[in-house]
Amino acid sequence: MSNQAVTVIGLGPMGRAMARTFLDNGHAVTVWNRTPSRADELVADGAVRAATVRDALAANELVVLSLTGHDAMYAILEPAADALAGRVLVNLSSDTPERSRAAAAWATGLGARYLTGGVQASPSGIGKPGSATFYSGPEEDFQAHRGTLAVLTGTDYVGADPGAAALYYQLQMDMFWTSMLSFLHALAVADANGISAREFLPHATATAASVPGFLAFYAPRVDAGDHTGDVDRLAMGTASVEHVRHTAADAGVDTTLPDAVLTAFRRAMEAGHAADSFTSVIEVFREGAS
Ligand code: NDP
C-alpha cells in the first residue's frame, strides 16, 4: 500500500519542515501558503502547489494545518468552508484549549473531522527521534492517521476533548517560557559581572538537571494539598528571591522577573503561609488575580 497523501496548509518554518519530512518519507504532498513563494523549494523537490485553498482541500482527505494560530485558520478556511466536508483536519497550530474546542465545533459543523495537535519540537526536530506531539479529538480519527502523523514526531494521544492537546501543550509552554526567561535573566546578571553565557552554561545545566528531582518530590505533595514546611519554608524562599532581586539590581539588570516571583511569594506570606513550603504559592495562583 502506498503512503497516505497529505495536504499541508501553512509553510512557516514548522509547516515547511513537516511538508519536507512527509516528502522524505515517500508521501505525496500538496501544499498551500498565503505567501506562495514559501512553497518554491518544496515544489522543486516534488510537492504539488495548490493554486487555491479549495484545491488544497480537494487534493487529500488528510489536511495538516501549521499556522500562527486559529485566526489564521479561519482567515484561510472560512472562504472555502464548503470544501471542508469529508476532510480530516489536523490542526498543529498553537492556540488555547477553548479556541481549539471552538475550532473543532466549527469544522465538524461543516462536515470535517478534526484533531488538535500540540507539537513539542522545533522545526529541526521534525522527522527526528526524541520529539513528540500531543493529539486529541475522536480516537478513531487519531488511530486512522496515527501512522502518517508519526512520520513527523512521536504521537501522544491525550483524549477525545479537542482542547486537551492544546491544554497539555500550553502547560508545557507555561513551564518552557518562564524557565527560558529565568535562564536569560541569570545570563544578564552573569554578563553584568563579566561572566559569559558559555562560561555559565555548565552551572545552568546543573541547575536544570536538579529540577526533575524537585518535580518528583513536590508533585505528590501538591496533589495531596500538603504544603508542610519541613524541607523548605516560604519565608526562607522569599528572603532568597529578595537576594536574587538585589543581586540583579546591584548589577544594573532589570528586576521584572524576580519582582513577579516576589509578588506571588508575598501574597502567600500575607495569606499566612510563611512557615509552609513555597508550594503554598499555588493557593495564591488558584485564587486568580488579586
Ligand atoms: P509562523 O508563525 O512562522 O507560521 C506562520 C504561518 O501561518 C505561515 O504559513 C503564514 O503565512 C501563516 N499565517 C499567519 N497568519 C496568517 C493569516 N492571517 N492568513 C493566512 N496565513 C497566515 O509559525 P511556525 O511555522 O514557526 O509555527 C507554526 C505553528 O507551530 C505555530 O502555531 C507555532 O506555535 C507552532 N510551533 C512552532 C514551533 C517552532 O519552533 N517554530 C515549535 C512548536 C510549535 P505566510 O507565510 O503567508 O506569512
Side-chain angles (χ1 to χ4, degrees):
M1 206 174 90
S2 61
N3 290 337
Q4 184 177 24
V6 190
T7 288
V8 178
I9 294 180
L11 299 174
M14 187 58 93
R16 287 202 299 277
M18 289 175 172
R20 162 87 42 211
T21 301
F22 280 131
L23 281 177
D24 290 348
N25 284 273
H27 293 260
V29 179
T30 298
V31 292
W32 185 89
N33 193 58
R34 175 179 63 177
T35 307
S37 59
R38 297 225 159 90
D40 289 352
E41 283 186 20
L42 292 162
V43 171
D45 292 335
V48 173
R49 188 196 314 264
T52 64
V53 175
R54 203 173 286 277
D55 290 349
L57 292 171
N60 297 303
E61 180 197 26
L62 184 62
V63 178
V64 168
L65 304 174
S66 178
L67 300 160
T68 308
H70 287 171
D71 287 342
M73 177 195 73
Y74 291 119
I76 291 168
L77 295 185
E78 267 176 345
D82 57 304
L84 287 174
R87 305 298 92 173
V88 177
L89 299 183
V90 182
N91 196 342
L92 301 180
S93 318
S94 163
D95 216 312
T96 68
E98 277 308 310
R99 298 198 79 205
S100 299
R101 292 181 189 112
W106 173 76
T108 52
L110 292 163
R113 313 285 296 172
Y114 190 92
L115 291 169
T116 309
V119 181
Q120 305 161 74
S122 61
S124 62
I126 300 300
K128 310 233 169 65
S131 56
T133 299
F134 296 118
Y135 286 99
S136 69
E139 186 163 8
E140 65 270 25
D141 295 324
F142 170 70
Q143 294 300 350
H145 300 286
R146 175 184 212 155
T148 302
L149 297 171
V151 161
L152 302 178
T153 65
T155 60
D156 188 355
Y157 180 72
V158 291
D161 169 12
L167 174 62
Y168 277 94
Y169 175 80
Q170 298 305 345
L171 295 176
Q172 302 276 112
M173 289 294 101
D174 193 339
M175 290 184 65
F176 178 78
W177 287 122
T178 45
S179 310
M180 292 309 287
L181 274 195
S182 70
F183 174 53
L184 278 186
H185 191 265
L187 290 186
V189 177
D191 179 60
N193 286 280
I195 301 166
S196 72
R198 204 173 279 217
E199 284 170 318
F200 184 61
L201 179 61
H203 306 289
T205 303
T207 300
S210 74
V211 169
F214 289 108
L215 305 187
F217 177 76
Y218 285 114
R221 286 186 167 213
V222 169
D223 273 350
D226 175 4
H227 302 303
T228 309
D230 54 351
V231 293
D232 76 282
R233 291 169 68 246
L234 183 63
M236 177 276 285
T238 304
S240 169
V241 182
E242 278 166 355
H243 300 154
V244 171
R245 186 202 182 280
H246 287 308
T247 302
D250 289 348
V253 170
D254 181 272
T255 60
T256 305
L257 212 52
D259 283 341
V261 179
L262 276 176
T263 298
F265 275 33
R266 285 179 182 145
R267 278 176 57 201
M269 294 270 279
E270 285 160 16
H273 291 295
D276 294 337
S277 165
F278 83 98
T279 57
S280 57
V281 172
I282 197 167
E283 304 301 342
V284 168
F285 291 152
R286 284 177 175 144
E287 280 164 17
S290 60

